[in-house]
Amino acid sequence: MSGPDRAIVLGLGNLLNRDEGLGVQCLEPLRNRLGSVAGIEILDGGVLGLDLLPLVECARALLILDAVDARKPPGTLIELTGADIPLFGRAKLSWHQVTFQEVLQLAAMRNRLPERLHLVGVQPADLSIGLELSPEVAAAMPALIEHAAAVLAGWGFYG
């Protein structure tokens, strides 16, 4: 799928580090919530880093789902939009964000950032080795899914 009427929902994170995998774990519930919607592509970005640059640059709208270290209580929903999302390493918001910040920075330098850029995440509680989300983050996941659906609806891609 490509073109100007494309929104990408990109789940980021490492599934092997409990809450760090939140962005990826949200993808299937979001697919179930939205159903089949033309113009929205829901993708597992994992920890691919710079390999994500072509996806970022071809999106009209990019919604990022991720665990975000904003020094809030565990399970807190965090939303950042456009210029509020750091393009440089001045604030590390997630364990793999430095690499994804580099992706956004490169897209900006090439004047190819998506018109719409939004991040919805949750403050992690546990980044140890393991496959399951902490109770705090698991409890916040339904709210994250609803916020993601609302962002897509606000952009005119859903609803």
Side-chain angles (χ1 to χ4, degrees):
M1 182 185 301
S2 65
D5 294 328
R6 180 182 190 199
I8 294 177
V9 178
L10 194 57
L12 298 177
N14 184 340
L15 291 171
L16 300 176
N17 292 107
R18 298 199 61 176
D19 294 346
E20 225 284 312
L22 171 70
V24 176
Q25 291 204 28
C26 287
L27 299 179
E28 194 59 36
L30 182 62
R31 280 188 192 98
N32 293 336
R33 168 70 172 79
L34 299 177
S36 178
V37 180
I40 298 175
E41 192 167 0
I42 299 173
L43 300 172
D44 176 353
V47 290
L48 291 176
L50 291 176
D51 290 334
L52 298 172
L53 184 61
L55 289 171
V56 169
E57 291 186 339
C58 73
R60 175 179 153 216
L62 178 64
L63 174 58
I64 304 161
L65 307 178
D66 199 2
V68 178
D69 183 5
R71 306 198 187 290
K72 302 282 186 184
T76 301
L77 191 70
I78 296 158
E79 286 194 74
L80 299 171
T81 60
D84 294 333
I85 299 171
L87 300 183
F88 304 97
R90 63 181 184 259
K92 185 176 180 180
L93 297 178
S94 91
W95 290 99
H96 48 82
Q97 187 188 25
V98 171
T99 300
F100 195 69
Q101 284 176 310
E102 292 170 355
V103 170
L104 294 175
Q105 180 184 3
L106 282 171
M109 291 172 53
R110 295 159 46 111
N111 200 26
R112 293 183 179 167
L113 267 180
E115 292 172 32
R116 296 176 175 150
L117 184 59
H118 199 108
L119 182 149
V120 181
V122 172
Q123 176 71 43
D126 186 349
L127 300 173
S128 65
I129 301 293
L131 298 175
E132 301 206 5
L133 297 173
S134 68
E136 298 93 335
V137 170
M141 199 159 79
L144 186 151
I145 300 300
E146 289 307 311
H147 278 260
V151 168
L152 294 167
W155 287 346
F157 286 98
Y158 173 73

